[in-house]
Amino acid sequence: MTDQIPASQTSNPSLRVITLDGPVMLGDRTLIEAGQEVTIRKPGSGELRGLSLASLNQLDVLSLEILLPRITSPQILKGASMDVADLMQFGGEVMDFLLPSAAKAAIRSAFPTE
């Protein structure tokens, strides 16, 4: 996925936008500057091929490193380094995408925001 997703599509529940705390680097080269937005989309079964759902739910760095190039725009390349807080943001969004709707509803009712 190499094209930037238009901002008008970010209201789609299958898309999330993350603002980076730090740059995404590949060696000495900056791929994405700090403060830029990266869109992450809900992975389909094909993008999850070869990965363990359990490892993704445990925020396994190697699994996220394989998955992120498949579901981010601009694309975060395998082997890129990033701020740990940004990695946690991406991992949290992946975990949320993988939760069934009933589990999300149960969480919302157990922990109301108001």
Side-chain angles (χ1 to χ4, degrees):
M1 185 167 189
T2 58
D3 294 17
Q4 187 72 358
I5 296 171
S8 62
Q9 292 183 13
T10 57
S11 62
N12 182 336
S14 296
L15 299 175
R16 308 281 168 76
V17 177
I18 294 172
T19 302
L20 296 176
D21 287 342
V24 176
M25 307 286 293
L26 188 59
D28 293 335
R29 192 174 96 209
T30 301
L31 298 176
I32 308 169
E33 296 285 342
Q36 282 195 298
E37 292 182 340
V38 176
T39 302
I40 182 170
R41 65 183 168 76
K42 185 176 183 175
S45 58
E47 287 134 346
L48 294 170
R49 191 165 287 120
L51 296 170
S52 162
L53 294 178
S55 67
L56 288 170
N57 273 328
Q58 294 173 350
L59 299 177
D60 178 69
V61 174
L62 296 176
S63 296
L64 288 171
E65 182 183 41
I66 292 168
L67 181 61
L68 288 179
R70 301 175 184 179
I71 63 171
T72 55
S73 177
Q75 188 178 41
I76 295 177
L77 300 175
K78 185 175 180 182
S81 62
M82 69 179 74
D83 188 282
V84 176
D86 293 328
L87 184 62
M88 285 297 295
Q89 282 191 88
F90 285 114
E93 295 300 342
V94 168
M95 284 178 35
D96 187 59
F97 283 141
L98 298 177
L99 277 176
S101 297
K104 290 178 191 179
I107 291 169
R108 280 193 297 276
S109 67
F111 302 101
T113 56
E114 295 179 9

